[in-house]
Amino acid sequence: MQLFNLVLVFGVVAYASACSQTPGTTTTTVTTTVTTVTADDEGEAGLLSANDRRIIRKTWDQAKKDGDVPPQILFRFIKAHPEYQKMFKSFADVPQAELLSNGNFLAQAYTILAGLNVVIQSLSSQELVANQINALGGAHQPRGATPIMFEQFGEVAEEVLAEELGSAFNAEARQAWKNGMRALVTGITRNLKKAEDLADPQTKLTPHQIRDVQTSWENIRADRNSMVSAIFIKLFKETPRTQKHFVKFASVAIDALPENAEYNKQVALVADRLDTIISAMNDKLQLLGNINYMRYTHQPPRAIARERFEDFARLLLDVLSSKGVSADDMDSWRGVLTIFVDGVSPRQ
């Protein structure tokens, strides 16, 4: 198995400064920060075949050595579709004839170069490239970008690469790039979402879900003990053996549980833990820490089955619905609880 180094460009600082030596000229400097990752180049994992990935990387590595390629791609894109120039505020009103000497235009061109580097060098990792495509979709949605724009950009990029590489950009290379751009556009189209709808790669939660859950919870959290108690009572009635996990009130009759001190302590503990997790959803480290703690404390000897957590989540949704939580917020709750259950008790 051959290994290759993926050079991922994580940051780009592109800026233009006027040169005092020659009035009216602009120098554009691009600084990139890189890290190296090892990945398998021979497998078929990822969006494309191993051969397509190899060809795309090889041709791109050749083309990007020429510093004129990124500006030419962006220039021809804008020349072919002048209406898109208005989307770039920093050079929206610059005459086309002056774009190739405009510092802001060049900075944008080399920023695009860095973005292409990230995607191309991430092709072998489904997770990495999915995150990059997700980020691209989220970043361009507020600007009014549409899938057709990415398709048009890909067509222009293909033309410039063909001219730059000549015979090296043969039919096989052209087809590999077509496949790559098709996969990229498909992914971006699927993820061309508002920033609030983009899931965090670690927690899998979106800002939209977090907002909905926290807002609706705030309205009912004062009644959390009674809600959890109602869930436990129903859970114990549905699956009596579940009560046996709680040794301090394992033998107490269900009807007598509300008057049992140990039971009420457990209810308060669970209600407060739920409140803590929901309150911490904006703090990724704290949220993951709470979920990991729950996972650790429910391993053997307690070994509570995943089904019981799923039952608790189902019954909590019933309670939330009875409390008047809106349909939209309920959708967010379903997504969040699924993620919580997966974190506390992963599928085997």
Side-chain angles (χ1 to χ4, degrees):
M1 182 181 296
Q2 295 181 344
L3 299 178
F4 70 94
N5 288 329
L6 293 181
V7 181
L8 302 182
V9 185
F10 282 127
V12 177
V13 180
Y15 62 90
S17 59
C19 293
S20 57
Q21 294 89 340
T22 309
T25 63
T26 304
T27 298
T28 300
T29 303
V30 177
T31 303
T32 60
T33 303
V34 301
T35 188
T36 301
V37 180
T38 300
D40 181 6
D41 191 32
E42 297 301 317
E44 293 299 318
L47 296 175
L48 300 167
S49 70
N51 190 51
D52 279 348
R53 297 196 303 267
R54 179 185 60 79
I55 292 172
I56 289 173
R57 284 195 206 95
K58 181 179 179 181
T59 50
W60 179 246
D61 285 344
Q62 291 175 310
K64 70 181 182 181
K65 292 177 182 177
D66 186 343
D68 289 336
V69 169
Q72 279 297 324
I73 292 175
L74 183 56
F75 177 73
R76 293 197 192 183
F77 175 63
I78 289 175
K79 187 175 181 180
H81 309 282
E83 67 275 17
Y84 296 159
Q85 185 174 344
K86 295 298 182 183
M87 299 177 68
F88 300 93
K89 294 182 180 180
S90 62
F91 54 88
D93 299 318
V94 176
Q96 272 193 15
E98 300 175 14
L99 285 176
L100 287 172
S101 61
N102 180 272
N104 289 326
F105 172 85
L106 293 173
Q108 182 64 47
Y110 287 107
T111 298
I112 291 173
L113 165 68
L116 284 173
N117 264 322
V118 172
V119 175
I120 290 171
Q121 303 298 347
S122 302
L123 287 175
S124 288
S125 169
Q126 294 189 53
E127 182 178 0
L128 283 175
V129 79
N131 287 343
Q132 295 302 330
I133 290 175
N134 205 32
L136 276 172
H140 287 83
Q141 195 278 342
R143 304 175 192 174
T146 62
I148 189 64
M149 294 179 185
F150 289 97
E151 292 178 10
Q152 293 164 340
F153 184 85
E155 292 169 359
V156 172
E158 187 180 319
E159 292 174 3
V160 173
L161 289 172
E163 292 178 13
E164 174 68 22
L165 298 176
S167 60
F169 200 73
N170 55 25
E172 187 180 26
R174 187 180 292 274
Q175 187 59 52
W177 273 90
K178 285 184 182 297
N179 294 342
M181 291 307 302
R182 186 183 304 114
L184 179 63
V185 171
T186 299
I188 289 175
T189 300
R190 187 169 54 247
N191 293 289
L192 201 58
K193 303 175 180 179
K194 296 179 180 178
E196 67 173 11
D197 292 324
L198 297 175
D200 182 275
Q202 288 181 289
T203 66
K204 311 303 182 186
L205 299 175
T206 70
H208 188 171
Q209 288 175 316
I210 292 173
R211 184 196 66 219
D212 286 351
V213 168
Q214 288 184 330
T215 300
S216 55
W217 179 251
E218 186 62 30
N219 294 330
I220 59 177
R221 64 183 294 272
D223 197 30
R224 60 186 180 276
N225 282 21
S226 64
M227 289 190 292
V228 169
S229 181
I231 291 171
F232 271 164
I233 296 296
K234 193 165 186 178
L235 182 61
F236 295 162
K237 288 181 177 179
E238 287 183 356
T239 314
R241 65 179 179 276
T242 302
Q243 189 176 342
K244 301 301 180 183
H245 288 292
F246 303 93
V247 294
K248 293 183 178 180
F249 52 88
S251 301
V252 177
I254 290 179
D255 291 342
L257 284 174
E259 306 302 323
N260 183 274
E262 294 298 334
Y263 169 78
N264 286 315
K265 286 181 183 179
Q266 184 65 39
V267 165
L269 179 66
V270 172
D272 288 345
R273 175 61 60 182
L274 181 61
D275 186 54
T276 297
I277 291 176
I278 293 172
S279 299
M281 288 170 68
N282 284 320
D283 186 328
K284 179 162 57 177
L285 291 180
Q286 189 176 348
L287 173 62
L288 293 173
N290 281 321
I291 291 176
N292 286 334
Y293 174 78
M294 288 285 292
R295 182 177 179 180
Y296 174 77
T297 55
H298 289 81
Q299 290 177 346
R302 297 183 73 185
I304 297 178
R306 175 187 170 90
E307 288 76 11
R308 301 294 77 77
F309 290 103
E310 291 175 333
D311 288 340
F312 186 93
R314 170 177 55 81
L315 295 172
L316 176 56
L317 289 172
D318 289 344
V319 170
L320 293 170
S321 180
S322 71
K323 292 286 186 180
V325 174
S326 71
D328 287 344
D329 287 354
M330 288 295 293
D331 285 341
S332 292
W333 272 98
R334 289 186 188 92
V336 167
L337 289 174
T338 297
I339 291 168
F340 283 179
V341 170
D342 286 341
V344 173
S345 184
R347 293 185 183 278
Q348 300 299 320

